[in-house]
Amino acid sequence: MPRPPLALSLQFARFADVAAHRAALPRHRVSRWLRAALADDVKMAELTVRIVNAEEGQRLNRDFRHKDYATNVLTFDYSAAPMLAADLVLCAPVVAREAAEQHKPLAQHYAHLLVHGALHAQGRDHESSTADAEAMEAREIAILAALGTPNPYAD
């Protein structure tokens, strides 16, 4: 089944090692990862992916989630299917640190977090219940497997 049209804005803030993050996130890969995460009821998607530094990541997390630290991915969803619109904000230093700690390539960790964020944009949640967390994790694993990416939760 063909995937729905995707209008993608890929943005990079200015920070010291931005080149490594740009290299891990070529537009065609980001588009492929996001399209794979879109549910069948999505007919069109407008997604902005912004890669930020720790200060911007912390500010956004503090201002919108009332948690005063930089987190790996934040999802701001504006409309649901059939016309999905959302911003996915990824904090480059957090993503790089996590990838190193998990001994994963940076691009592979970005793929997981983009799929994770796209699922949040479609209403999936992992904080409301164990069942929801398990369902979201299973969906992420299936999407990533279809993309040829290993299970992000396996050791």
Side-chain angles (χ1 to χ4, degrees):
M1 173 182 230
R3 302 307 307 165
L6 170 64
L8 173 63
S9 175
L10 181 56
Q11 304 172 359
F12 293 86
R14 292 185 180 141
F15 51 92
D17 58 345
V18 69
H21 295 270
R22 282 185 187 276
L25 293 164
R27 183 178 188 78
H28 70 281
R29 279 178 152 181
V30 172
S31 179
R32 182 171 177 252
W33 298 333
L34 292 171
R35 283 180 197 279
L38 297 177
D40 291 339
D41 61 346
V42 174
K43 303 305 176 205
M44 170 68 185
E46 289 184 7
L47 301 174
T48 296
V49 173
R50 181 163 171 79
I51 311 303
V52 301
N53 60 26
E55 293 77 20
E56 186 174 348
Q58 181 173 354
R59 180 180 53 78
L60 289 168
N61 200 27
R62 182 186 60 238
D63 292 354
F64 291 96
R65 295 182 64 227
H66 311 291
K67 297 182 179 187
D68 196 16
Y69 58 88
T71 190
N72 52 17
V73 61
L74 293 167
T75 300
F76 299 93
D77 55 327
Y78 307 113
S79 67
M83 177 33 210
L84 179 68
D87 293 339
L88 306 178
V89 179
L90 294 100
C91 184
V94 174
V95 175
R97 185 191 76 235
E98 290 175 349
E101 289 170 355
Q102 297 170 25
H103 308 289
K104 295 177 181 173
L106 184 60
Q108 183 178 312
H109 194 44
Y110 268 122
H112 174 216
L113 294 174
L114 285 166
V115 166
H116 183 88
L119 292 177
H120 272 305
Q122 296 170 89
R124 297 268 187 154
D125 187 22
H126 57 84
E127 295 180 351
S128 56
S129 73
T130 302
D132 286 346
E134 289 171 354
M136 186 167 172
E137 185 176 305
R139 186 71 190 121
E140 289 172 18
I141 292 167
I143 292 166
L144 291 166
L147 291 166
T149 301
N151 178 346
Y153 298 102
D155 290 334

